[in-house]
Amino acid sequence: MYLPKYLPNSRFSLGDTVRKLLLLTLLVLAFAVACDNKEKDRDALMATATGLEQSGKYVEAREQAEKALLLTPDHTEAYLLIARCYMGEKNTDEAIKSYGRVHELSPNNQEAVENLSRLYLLKGELALAEKYADMTAGLSPDSLQAKIVKAGILMRKKDYDKAEPLLKEILQSEPGNEEAVIGLASLSLNKGKQDEAKALLEKALKEQKTPSSAVLSMLSNIAIDSNDMATAEGYIKQLMDLSDDDEQLVLQLAAIYQLTNREKEVTELLADFVEKHPTALNVRSRLAELALSAGKYDEALKIVDAAPDNSPK
């Protein structure tokens, strides 16, 4: 068959084209499979990370989420989980960085802007706290979180006249809300209305599904100020049920025992805590001091020497 010179040989050209199309199809399929496998691996890592985070194993959870980011660098859920872990560890600066990254990737992510407003308030950076509170309100006009942050900003600025009605509005929307209760109780205490603050806190405690440590702590302080040691003791014991490794709570309870002349219970309380938490330096030191004051020098030395090698002595 005659073909003009300016036309290619159609038989060979068609074969080349088919081969190229086939190769391209295979490459696309291979890429799709690789992406699918990456997503499956990422999702497996995220499932593990989520389980660890829910168990309070924040460091291990972050490690898994960071591995997921190596597979898909802009995965919003991984950054959110990392931010939550940093919040659990009370690492404000790193939590801000991670939530900030989420906000870059997804400007309308409500969890990110809500928590950025809270975190900046915690740091005392009020302008940034207000900026993100406004964003939160923009995404959700009835956002309770935005109101809580704005009330917190007013309290920090000591603009109590504006803070009080906003706190009452929050409490009406959500009875027992910790931030509102603490804010209003603080305002009552500032006015010298201790009974009003106490009644507000006690009411909130009944309304809360899980007792708030901040409310219990405030009630225990009011009881101590009123020299009502029995009531203070009850609140501190409730706090210890929520956090059984808090040295300061144990020392507070020991001080109450001492004020009420229960020396034996002081020693038993401190010794029991040190046995369960060998690295609790402050409690160990207090236990050694008691032994010294009783003239038991050898016992005091044993208490100090029994501290683990990685604890300062």
Side-chain angles (χ1 to χ4, degrees):
M1 180 177 68
Y2 171 75
L3 289 171
K5 290 183 180 178
Y6 55 82
L7 289 178
N9 186 315
S10 61
R11 184 175 53 191
F12 294 107
S13 175
L14 183 61
D16 289 344
T17 302
V18 169
R19 278 196 296 274
K20 285 176 183 177
L21 283 171
L22 182 60
L23 181 59
L24 182 60
T25 302
L26 290 171
L27 286 171
V28 169
L29 286 171
F31 180 74
V33 169
C35 287
D36 188 49
N37 287 339
K38 265 190 178 183
E39 286 186 4
K40 285 178 181 176
D41 290 345
R42 179 203 67 199
D43 291 345
L45 287 165
M46 287 302 297
T48 303
T50 300
L52 290 166
E53 184 225 341
Q54 290 171 351
S55 302
K57 297 178 179 178
Y58 299 123
V59 175
E60 295 94 329
R62 279 195 289 106
E63 287 172 354
Q64 295 301 307
E66 283 161 4
K67 287 178 183 176
L69 283 174
L70 292 175
L71 296 172
T72 48
D74 291 339
H75 189 50
T76 304
E77 288 302 319
Y79 280 111
L80 282 171
L81 189 141
I82 290 168
R84 290 183 210 121
C85 289
Y86 279 127
M87 284 187 77
E89 295 173 273
K90 295 180 170 47
N91 189 332
T92 303
D93 290 335
E94 290 301 324
I96 284 174
K97 285 180 188 176
S98 295
Y99 276 126
R101 182 62 181 140
V102 173
H103 184 54
E104 288 173 10
L105 294 169
S106 179
N108 292 332
N109 186 286
Q110 190 151 343
E111 180 184 340
V113 292
E114 278 188 0
N115 283 302
L116 283 167
S117 69
R118 289 177 68 95
L119 291 163
Y120 279 121
L121 177 61
L122 193 64
K123 285 191 74 176
E125 296 185 31
L126 304 187
L128 284 169
E130 190 162 15
K131 170 188 168 183
Y132 286 105
D134 287 340
M135 285 185 193
T136 302
L139 292 171
S140 177
D142 296 325
S143 170
L144 197 65
Q145 182 56 52
K147 291 176 184 177
I148 289 168
V149 171
K150 289 190 175 187
I153 291 168
L154 291 169
M155 290 290 284
R156 289 286 190 103
K157 290 179 176 179
K158 298 185 179 180
D159 193 347
Y160 302 134
D161 290 340
K162 288 183 181 177
E164 188 169 0
L166 188 52
L167 289 167
K168 286 179 178 177
E169 184 185 334
I170 294 163
L171 198 58
Q172 191 172 6
S173 299
E174 187 182 284
N177 179 275
E178 182 181 298
E179 288 94 339
V181 169
I182 295 298
L184 288 168
S186 298
L187 290 175
S188 295
L189 289 173
N190 286 342
K191 296 173 186 175
K193 298 179 179 179
Q194 193 177 80
D195 289 342
E196 184 180 288
K198 182 182 172 184
L200 184 65
L201 292 162
E202 286 174 343
K203 183 174 183 290
L205 207 56
K206 290 174 185 175
E207 291 169 339
Q208 292 171 343
K209 292 179 182 177
T210 303
S212 159
S213 57
V215 171
L216 287 168
S217 181
M218 206 167 193
L219 279 166
S220 71
N221 289 335
I222 289 172
I224 289 168
D225 289 343
S226 305
N227 205 31
D228 184 355
M229 295 304 162
T231 300
E233 180 180 331
Y235 287 130
I236 290 170
K237 283 181 176 177
Q238 285 186 67
L239 282 164
M240 288 172 68
D241 288 339
L242 296 174
S243 178
D244 63 359
D245 61 351
D246 191 318
E247 288 189 72
Q248 292 308 311
L249 290 175
V250 173
L251 292 171
Q252 271 188 307
L253 186 57
I256 288 173
Y257 285 169
Q258 223 164 359
L259 286 168
T260 50
N261 301 312
R262 292 145 72 186
E263 299 294 339
K264 185 181 177 183
E265 287 180 64
V266 174
T267 304
E268 288 174 352
L269 173 71
L270 298 176
D272 182 60
F273 190 83
V274 165
E275 186 178 346
K276 290 176 182 173
H277 307 280
T279 58
L281 178 63
N282 294 322
V283 175
R284 185 179 290 279
S285 298
R286 184 72 188 114
L287 187 60
E289 284 171 15
L290 288 174
L292 280 173
S293 62
K296 300 176 181 178
Y297 305 113
D298 290 342
E299 186 178 325
L301 192 60
K302 284 179 184 177
I303 291 166
V304 174
D305 286 342
D309 291 338
N310 61 346
S311 297
K313 297 182 182 180

